[in-house]
Amino acid sequence: MMNSHIRPVAAAKKLGLLAAVTACVLSLVQCSGGSSDKGRAPSREHREPSATAPAPGLEREITAYTAAFDEDTGYRRPSRSDRRTVAAGVGLLLDGRREEAEHRLSDVDFAIRTVTDEATGRRYAEIADRAEGGAAPRGWGRVYVDLGSPVRWSAQVPHPVADRHTERLGAQLLSRASGGVLIVAGAHRKAGRGDEADVAHRRDSVFHAVCDELVRRGLPGIQLHGMAEDSAPDHDVVASTGRGREAVSEGRALADDLKKRGYDVCRAWARSCPLAGRTNVQGRAATARDVPFLHVEFGPRLREDRDQAGEAVAALADVTRAWRRG
């Protein structure tokens, strides 16, 4: 299906993008896709050992998928029926009805396959769009579901590549903590027309429909963002519960853990902080159902350096522990 929303330069860039993705996958190296980090590139003083190091297992799978994302890779706004179908398919899978889920998802040309993270041996169901490799990708994203444990929480990556390396953090968190669902947006936040691909602020996306299905089931979530160094110059992290307060205890635990690891956290439930996610639509949906939701903005060094990213992921995994106990 052709996508009328692709900018004219997209076709010209396609061959280069395909070559970049192929090289990235063959070498098992994450390509540098560039980043807006809320509109600004990271400072040069931050080194990036993780940006060129081979990524393990599930992280390699996800970063190979997002490697070609940029502002010109296209996006097609899904219909209400499309959104409901994908969300219903995810729900059927979570209920253990995989065959029914596969049948339902095939109506919108989505498929389910099982992938194994060789680093941990854990198996995940990957829900992906069969149209991703076409000339006009729809940009509807992917969902990964832990098959080895009861699902208790979600991690959400609404701005992969645009918020540099947040897709890596999401993959690492899912690999580290059992019982999770990872939702990754399928396009750069500036793809398509206007803000239609900025899924953190749009209700008419597959991303939001899936998150809403998880909220309906009472699953708490952590949404991962990346901020520029000068967005909160006195802080490494901004942690927020959005418009609600259902996750204040989890937010405090995360902030305390990161503080012990040497990072300064702005606690948006206790003081005024930039980028607190008050208008985030997934957070608003969670608040409406009294479901815990954390909106976390990480500065460049916690995303670009693998060792420091590991510290962030360890702290996030600790937050999910109480949720995993049910």
Side-chain angles (χ1 to χ4, degrees), residues 37-57:
D37 274 359
K38 302 293 182 288
R40 298 178 177 86
S43 299
R44 293 181 181 178
E45 66 189 28
H46 293 288
R47 59 190 178 87
E48 293 191 52
S50 64
T52 55

Side-chain angles (χ1 to χ4, degrees), residues 16 80 229:
R80 178 178 296 183
E229 190 172 19

Side-chain angles (χ1 to χ4, degrees), residues 155-160 166-167 170-171 182-185 199 207 222-224:
Q156 306 162 14
V157 182
H159 300 146
T166 50
E167 63 276 10
L182 174 64
I183 310 99
V184 182
V199 298
F207 182 93
I222 300 176
Q223 192 166 112
L224 307 174

Side-chain angles (χ1 to χ4, degrees), residues 153-154 156 200 203 207-223 240-248 250 277-295 323:
W153 58 276
S154 77
Q156 306 162 14
R203 298 181 186 276
F207 182 93
H208 181 72
V210 172
C211 291
D212 204 40
E213 172 66 20
L214 301 182
V215 164
R216 189 182 68 79
R217 292 166 176 267
L219 296 185
I222 300 176
Q223 192 166 112
S240 173
T241 58
R243 291 181 65 89
R245 294 186 61 82
E246 288 75 19
V248 168
E250 291 92 337
R278 307 294 189 199
T279 61
N280 182 282
V281 297
Q282 290 78 48
R284 290 189 172 198
T287 296
R289 292 182 179 268
D290 299 322
V291 173
F293 174 83
L294 283 176
H295 179 283
W323 295 340

Side-chain angles (χ1 to χ4, degrees), residues 144-156:
Y144 291 85
V145 179
D146 187 350
L147 294 175
S149 302
V151 171
R152 303 294 190 196
W153 58 276
S154 77
Q156 306 162 14

Side-chain angles (χ1 to χ4, degrees), residues 188-205:
H188 191 284
R189 66 183 299 178
K190 294 184 179 179
R193 296 179 177 175
D195 68 345
E196 66 181 357
D198 185 359
V199 298
H201 299 99
R202 300 286 299 236
R203 298 181 186 276
D204 57 350
S205 70

Side-chain angles (χ1 to χ4, degrees), residues 287-323:
T287 296
R289 292 182 179 268
D290 299 322
V291 173
F293 174 83
L294 283 176
H295 179 283
V296 189
E297 294 270 1
F298 290 101
R301 68 187 182 118
L302 275 162
R303 289 175 285 119
E304 295 170 5
D305 181 278
R306 182 167 290 280
D307 291 338
Q308 295 191 60
E311 295 281 331
V313 171
L316 292 167
D318 286 344
V319 169
T320 71
R321 185 176 294 115
W323 295 340

